[in-house]
């Protein structure tokens, strides 16, 4: 290839060298200055056109969004805000862009508008930065686990099990949608379906992950998961990516240590490998917050916030301790919470999590030992305490502005206790015989957790709507592109 | 954690040190020698039990599949085949395994049997090796692209588009399977479905990948893809993982260079990071081939075969050249091909690909410039040649024993040509307006390809059935676990 990527040129010192760039025009000023971006950097390179010696029919085709090839000399820039530029000797248009029709104009567009043109928003500085950070976080996750000798394990996406228990599922089928084959008693005959039974999209790879952990020791998954829930919020997607490590011989403390290490590692990696992108996002956020009243603005800017997470231990406390703090809190006393905390046992709402994280501790918090009734059947049961309370070895990590970033637990490794709990919540052992085999043959203490990847990207980029951190969000009534 | 992973101990020189291991019993011989595996290595560590001073009730619970904790001194082994062992001072059983019921006995099981207990086969040496290689290849793919400054891009899994054109699709729905809502004219009312329209599982992220390439320059996807095809072969899965890079400003030659570099890089990485696993798989294959007649055995063993790929350039030729070779070939002359090659234009069958790769060139082959009629609508059209033949800038990489490992092309960047071809094959522009925008606004030459990840694992592990290289295979009438 004859051309050099702009990121490389922006860092180059080879002034006077003849180079070729190819990219898209962001702006063209005074018939002379083209700001060119090829996606390799959020920053553009400026090409200075000798407009007197460039044909008029070329000049008028240099429009926002068009693709150009520029040959010229790399020079030290005299202008402000850039170190290098190109003195163009030859400019040609590779692909035109009709400025009357191109939806991205060289001005600020709202995030709402950009969501409607998600196929083009990737060409903006904001989304370049977001998806570069997303890329860095993805790689950091793999790097962390590989360095810790974990096996990346692909749990299935299509599942015949409906005991995953994490939420509503999407059905996967090839049956005729209007005239499905029926059994003699008038039900849909799923034996005729592609997989010979009813199948769904996975809501979690945990159960399969446990099988693998009890073979390889330490494993992790990183793949798409699905929830068919009608949640139109800024924190929920119907299709999202999740990381689910699972570790043999890990108890709850080990589990928390690993999760905290992982989060710090990947945020640090993003800060180090995407300094320009995060700086850009920091400034975007500062700009956005200018329109808010002083009281609603963040105390820390994005970079400070990320560093704060790196530099502080997450606060660890039990659910019971958290409930005591909440009960005594001002918003509870003054009845400002929508759901008042009156006693032990209730699930915590977003308002309570935010109070703990953002007001009380002002840092990430790990809550442990939740009431058994509000958690999943597979979590390890604690001894019943002196007040008769049943708790499980769960841990949720709560982040400022995000809420639950991680949900995990030590798993119940005792077959009898597990079966008893399954009976209580109504899961038939036949449904997951294969899973129960892990408790029949060489069962060991083990633990794991799930990280909602988009929530991690949300936190690291400082964005506030989860639809802005995944390329093509899937939400109720929306599966465009 | 108090214990040390076995992989570490097997490489340790700290003789005399007191250590703890935790793992699963593979065998227990003479009431004295426990072979313990914790999944960190395909190799076991031997613990020598002082059986005279170990209670009988412990000894009899040390059975194949049980989980044990062994405390003892790391010592230089006097036995054959191992460098270190543990002189146990304390042995306890963490989790029992009833030897009458545990399906994995210390003997050779057939791959067919192991497929039926896929939840336990991960505890065998063979599958430990396979999934460690799979892990290494996965990471190598990310490492390669990150080193080349590509952006990892998550294309959607649930898609509202049915123009991906790569195969039959699975429907994703939350509608009542037996009484779906109907429109006035008696059709299923997909407006009532979760996403407000009919949606499917993706067969390829390419179209979205192209959008991203024309924003970031170079991107890759690595995620699950789906085909609802009733193919019960050793090379097809209904759910499989695919890597799809897409590069702006790449022409067909660049595309081939990248694909060849990628494949060599990841195979080299697997060889270097999994030497023991690949050695194990090499020996497994040699053992398996002993039962075959001499003529059917491989000329090269697994390690030689992998190195052969690294050390040789892939053979590059056009479809037309390939057809000429096949027409003149012995099996065609002697009518040994099931499908005889009589002229230009036919799609190549597996037997033809195998002849070219395994008999004629004896190395990976890249075929280019296929007839337009047998390839996808989005491939860049060549000029019609002097004989009136329409070809496209396609490239398929064929591997010995595997067939098509990679399928790719330069893409048609010209809007008019693309629309004309879509009209010929019956794709409505309205279906993919968003995709066509890439050709309307700053269109540039670009290329990409798809790598079938399981085929890559198949080749690198020397396995022959694709169901053995993914943890839980999904095939017609099978979605167990």
């Amino acid at each position: 290839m004859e051309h050099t990527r702009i990121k490389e040129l922006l860092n180059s010192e080879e002034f006077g060298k003849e180079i070729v760039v190819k990219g898209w025009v962001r702006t063209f000023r005074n018939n002379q200055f083209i700001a060119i971006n090829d996606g390799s950097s959020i920053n553009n390179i400026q090409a200075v056109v000798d407009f007197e010696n460039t044909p008029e029919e070329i000049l008028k085709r240099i429009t926002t969004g068009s693709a150009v090839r520029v040959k010229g000399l790399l020079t030290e820039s005299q202008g402000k805000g850039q170190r290098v530029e190109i003195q163009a000797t030859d400019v040609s248009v590779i692909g035109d862009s009709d400025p009357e029709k191109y939806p991205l104009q060289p001005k600020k567009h709202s995030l709402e508008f950009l969501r409607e043109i998600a196929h083009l928003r990737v060409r903006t500085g904001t989304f370049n930065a977001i998806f570069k950070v997303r890329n860095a976080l993805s790689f950091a996750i793999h790097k962390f686990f590989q360095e810790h000798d974990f096996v990346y394990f692909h749990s299935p996406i299509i599942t015949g099990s409906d005991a995953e228990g994490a939420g509503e599922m999407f059905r996967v089928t090839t049956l005729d949608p209007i005239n499905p084959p029926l059994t003699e008693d008038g039900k849909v005959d799923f034996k005729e379906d592609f997989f010979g039974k009813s199948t769904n999209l996975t809501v979690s790879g945990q159960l399969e992950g446990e099988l693998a952990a009890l073979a390889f020791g330490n494993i992790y998954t990183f793949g798409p998961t699905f929830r068919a829930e009608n949640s139109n919020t800024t924190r929920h997607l119907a299709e999202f990516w999740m990381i689910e490590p699972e570790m043999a011989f890990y108890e709850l403390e080990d589990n928390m240590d690993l999760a905290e290490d992982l989060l710090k590692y990947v945020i640090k990696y993003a800060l180090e490998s995407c300094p320009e992108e995060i700086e850009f996002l920091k400034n975007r956020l500062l700009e956005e917050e200018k329109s808010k009243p002083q009281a609603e603005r963040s105390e820390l800017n994005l970079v400070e916030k990320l560093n704060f997470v790196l530099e502080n231990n997450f606060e660890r406390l039990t659910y019971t301790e958290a409930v005591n703090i909440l009960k005594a809190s001002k918003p509870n006393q003054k009845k400002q919470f929508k759901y008042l905390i009156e006693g032990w046992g209730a699930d915590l709402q977003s308002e309570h999590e935010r109070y703990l994280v953002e007001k009380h501790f002002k840092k990430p918090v790990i809550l442990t030992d939740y009431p058994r009734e509000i958690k999943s059947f597979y979590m390890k049961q604690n001894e019943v305490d002196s007040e008769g309370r049943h708790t499980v070895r769960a841990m949720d990590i709560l982040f400022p502005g995000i809420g639950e970033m991680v949900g995990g637990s030590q798993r119940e490794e005792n077959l009898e206790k597990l079966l008893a709990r399954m009976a209580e919540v109504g899961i038939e052992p036949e449904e997951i015989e294969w899973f129960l085999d892990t408790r029949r043959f060489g069962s060991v203490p083990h633990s794991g957790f799930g990280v909602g990847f988009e929530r991690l990207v949300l936190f690291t980029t400082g964005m506030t709507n989860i639809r802005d951190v995944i390329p093509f969000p899937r939400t109720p009534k929306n599966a465009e592109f």
Side-chain angles (χ1 to χ4, degrees), chain A:
Chain A
M1 267 161 290
E2 57 163 4
H3 65 286
T4 310
R5 299 195 78 200
I6 288 169
K7 186 181 183 179
E8 205 176 300
L9 294 177
L10 291 173
N11 292 313
S12 173
E13 305 261 325
E14 296 187 88
F15 302 123
K17 190 182 173 187
E18 180 171 82
I19 48 91
V20 173
V21 297
K22 292 178 178 175
W24 292 273
V25 175
R26 287 285 168 87
T27 58
F28 184 36
R29 290 185 298 117
N30 299 348
N31 244 0
Q32 195 174 8
F33 304 108
I34 320 179
I36 307 173
N37 190 290
D38 66 0
S40 63
S41 168
I42 44 168
N43 298 310
N44 310 321
I45 197 161
Q46 173 166 290
V48 184
V49 180
D50 175 8
F51 66 96
E52 290 180 345
N53 292 307
T54 304
E56 182 60 31
E57 59 268 31
I58 297 285
L59 289 175
K60 71 182 182 198
R61 288 171 60 206
I62 303 173
T63 57
T64 295
S66 64
V68 293
R69 173 186 178 278
V70 173
K71 191 170 168 182
L73 302 179
L74 191 71
T75 53
E76 218 165 344
S77 178
Q78 305 306 314
K80 269 188 198 166
Q82 61 217 5
R83 218 174 44 81
V84 300
E85 63 184 19
I86 301 167
Q87 291 295 335
T89 54
D90 184 63
V91 179
S92 57
V93 175
I94 303 173
D96 291 280
S97 173
D98 181 342
E100 300 292 310
K101 293 184 181 158
Y102 190 53
L104 286 174
Q105 293 302 317
K107 60 159 193 169
K108 196 171 156 56
H109 295 288
S110 74
L111 293 173
E112 291 72 22
F113 170 72
L114 291 172
R115 244 168 258 151
E116 286 169 25
I117 52 164
H119 65 305
L120 296 175
R121 68 178 179 175
V122 278
R123 299 183 179 191
T124 65
T126 299
F127 286 91
N128 188 296
I130 292 168
F131 292 120
K132 290 282 173 66
V133 171
R134 187 179 167 108
N135 169 69
L137 289 168
S138 295
F139 186 61
I141 286 160
H142 285 295
K143 200 161 175 288
F144 175 86
F145 285 117
Q146 295 295 320
E147 285 171 8
H148 288 73
D149 211 15
F150 279 54
V151 176
Y152 179 37
F153 190 76
H154 287 111
S155 53
I157 309 300
I158 298 172
T159 171
S161 154
D162 55 6
E164 294 175 346
E168 292 296 307
M169 300 177 103
F170 288 103
R171 198 165 69 256
V172 174
T173 182
T174 56
L175 291 181
D176 184 333
I178 194 151
N179 287 312
L182 301 179
T183 59
E184 280 182 10
D185 54 349
K187 292 184 179 149
V188 173
D189 187 3
F190 285 110
K191 282 212 176 68
E192 297 285 312
D193 209 345
F194 188 90
F195 294 109
K197 60 161 140 181
S198 174
T199 50
N200 298 301
L201 288 179
T202 185
V203 295
S204 161
Q206 181 196 317
L207 302 190
E208 292 87 357
E210 288 190 45
L211 300 174
L214 299 195
F216 301 111
N218 299 332
I219 67 98
Y220 68 108
T221 70
F222 186 0
T225 45
F226 306 86
R227 301 281 153 87
E229 270 149 31
N230 200 6
S231 305
N232 253 314
T233 79
T234 56
R235 294 193 308 159
H236 291 89
L237 292 166
E239 171 181 316
F240 57 101
W241 287 66
M242 189 148 68
I243 301 106
E244 294 186 283
E246 194 71 34
M247 296 74 66
F249 310 114
Y250 268 53
E251 306 203 358
L252 191 65
E253 285 289 323
D254 309 310
N255 204 25
M256 287 191 278
D257 291 346
L258 185 79
E260 185 168 341
D261 286 351
L262 169 68
L263 293 172
K264 288 178 171 173
Y265 180 99
V266 302
I267 290 170
K268 185 159 182 274
Y269 184 90
L271 272 168
E272 287 171 357
S273 66
C274 299
E276 288 179 346
E277 288 81 0
I278 291 178
E279 184 70 16
F280 180 96
L281 291 166
K282 179 194 88 177
N283 293 331
R284 196 202 70 84
L285 201 57
L286 289 174
E287 198 59 41
E288 194 184 78
E289 291 202 332
K290 279 188 188 161
S291 64
K292 289 186 182 173
Q294 190 72 39
E296 287 177 30
R297 297 183 198 169
S298 311
E299 287 171 40
L300 303 178
N301 72 35
L302 179 62
V303 175
E304 289 165 345
K305 191 180 70 165
L306 298 177
N307 278 311
F308 186 82
V309 167
L310 300 187
E311 288 157 11
N312 289 280
N313 291 333
F314 296 1
E315 190 70 33
R316 299 179 184 195
L317 69 162
T318 65
Y319 166 89
T320 304
E321 290 164 339
V323 162
N324 290 339
I325 290 170
L326 288 166
K327 245 197 310 200
S329 71
K330 253 195 198 164
N332 204 54
Q333 302 287 341
K334 296 198 170 177
K335 310 206 173 192
Q336 287 159 345
F337 281 147
K338 192 171 165 207
Y339 298 90
L340 293 180
I341 298 287
E342 315 214 319
W344 192 91
D347 206 352
L348 301 184
Q349 304 296 321
S350 174
E351 58 182 345
H352 309 130
E353 296 178 350
R354 295 192 69 159
Y355 175 82
L356 290 169
V357 171
E358 293 164 26
K359 304 288 175 194
H360 190 84
F361 292 110
K362 294 180 189 278
K363 58 175 164 169
V365 166
I366 313 186
L367 291 188
T368 64
D369 302 285
Y370 280 78
R372 189 179 67 167
E373 310 311 319
I374 60 171
K375 288 288 181 185
S376 301
F377 73 95
Y378 50 70
M379 295 187 178
K380 185 174 173 70
Q381 298 170 41
N382 285 314
E383 295 294 317
V384 180
D385 77 5
S386 56
E387 301 183 45
R389 289 168 175 168
H390 286 90
T391 55
V392 288
R393 300 295 277 157
M395 64 120 182
D396 282 1
I397 305 186
L398 311 176
F399 259 57
I402 303 291
E404 186 187 327
M405 176 79 84
V406 169
S409 71
Q410 185 170 342
R411 316 308 189 184
E412 181 55 75
E413 85 266 24
N414 181 287
L415 182 63
E416 283 66 42
K417 287 188 190 170
L418 186 61
L419 286 170
R421 188 68 195 140
M422 283 167 60
E424 283 171 9
V425 301
I427 298 173
E428 298 291 334
E430 298 75 45
E431 293 279 326
I432 47 170
E433 277 302 330
W434 48 272
F435 176 69
L436 297 174
D437 272 358
T438 53
R439 274 65 171 178
R440 291 193 181 106
F441 305 115
S443 188
V444 303
H446 62 289
S447 300
F449 58 86
V451 187
F453 182 59
E454 280 73 20
R455 292 191 179 180
L456 177 62
V457 184
L458 211 51
F459 182 75
T460 314
T461 57
M463 301 300 290
T464 49
N465 190 321
I466 203 158
R467 296 165 201 212
D468 293 331
V469 299
I470 190 167
F472 302 102
R474 268 70 181 109
T475 52
K477 304 294 171 202
N478 173 39
E480 295 306 309
F481 311 107

